[in-house]
Amino acid sequence: MASYETVKSVVDFLKTKVDAAPQVAIICGSGLGTLAEIVTDKTTIKYEEIEQFPKSTVAGHAGNLVFGKLGGKDVVVMQGRFHPYEGYPMSHVTLPIRVFKLLGVEIIIVTNAAGGLNPEFAVGDMMIIKDHICMPGMTGMNALVGKNEERFGTRFPNMQNLYTKDLRELAKKVAEELEITKYLREGIYCAEIGPTYETPAEARFLRMIGADAVGMSTAHETTIAKHAGMKVFAMSLITNKVVLDEESNVQTNHKEVLETSAKRAEIMKSFVERLVECV
Ligand code: HPA
């Protein structure tokens, strides 16, 4: 886990660059980084400028921290995120979440691209995350493994209502207002480390244990946020249907994931903007 001192040193650095006290932090998933375009009064800080940050290495992830205004609120947007499959330890991958906490962020909104496991889901659906199954967390790679930092939170944090019910209800109202409920789903997100997509046998296993969508991010970030007492909202864009049958000719690939994200980017942007306005 990132130590208090490391987190504080990043915050001190950011304060030399930007005079901001964001209330809301937004993490953009694969191909969804264009959300930062609608932020006004922007100050953009490249991850490279932040000595303690890992570097984003994935296509579709820009690598900027964007401070500014969205929906009438002060926000900070992560344009591109870090993933454990890039080879970074959980402490590095989740460092930005603790930075947000010390900056005064109270609400974190997380988006990701995910594969749909629920047979009723279509490509392009937007799934409000109701709860998660963190496979790495349950098998030794929980983001909170290591010495607990009491200044952030307790040793044995409760993970009920991690995905804050009030925010999920609000998101449903926003979707109604924007007339996008036909794309809206709610379900269980399963996190895996990747970078391989799951085998059909693994996919059937994940479906069997109750997952509606699967991806390679989010759960470790939201775990750190919940530990630190932040309210969390997360949404998966279903970019592909996960293949459940060994005999299928369909092949999941990153290009398809990015194409679906690009198609839904406008709707996702309006949705997140209105949600931020309403929180
Ligand atoms: N599996 C895992 N992660 C993903 C997928 C998938 O099918 N699609 C987008 N991210």
Side-chain angles (χ1 to χ4, degrees), residues 16 23 25 32 53 95 106 120 125 152 195-196 237 242:
T16 67
Q23 301 149 267
L32 299 170
F53 264 33
L95 170 62
E106 288 164 9
E120 292 185 3
D125 281 352
F152 286 108
T196 52
L237 175 64
V242 172

Side-chain angles (χ1 to χ4, degrees), residues 178-253:
L178 299 179
E179 298 180 354
I180 53 169
T181 48
K182 61 177 179 290
Y183 305 125
L184 198 72
R185 304 276 179 260
E186 187 170 31
I188 308 299
Y189 175 84
C190 180
E192 61 186 5
I193 293 287
T196 52
Y197 292 110
E198 44 297 317
T199 65
E202 287 165 345
R204 290 195 299 275
F205 165 70
L206 298 182
R207 181 67 193 140
M208 209 182 292
I209 62 170
D212 294 298
V214 56
M216 303 173 194
S217 67
T218 303
H220 45 271
E221 298 160 348
T222 57
T223 298
I224 293 290
K226 168 78 170 159
H227 176 250
M230 292 154 113
K231 284 186 159 190
V232 177
F233 176 80
M235 175 170 269
S236 292
L237 175 64
I238 305 300
T239 52
N240 57 284
K241 280 181 89 92
V242 172
V243 176
L244 295 156
D245 171 9
E246 280 83 4
E247 310 310 329
S248 166
N249 291 322
V250 177
Q251 301 217 336
T252 305
N253 63 79

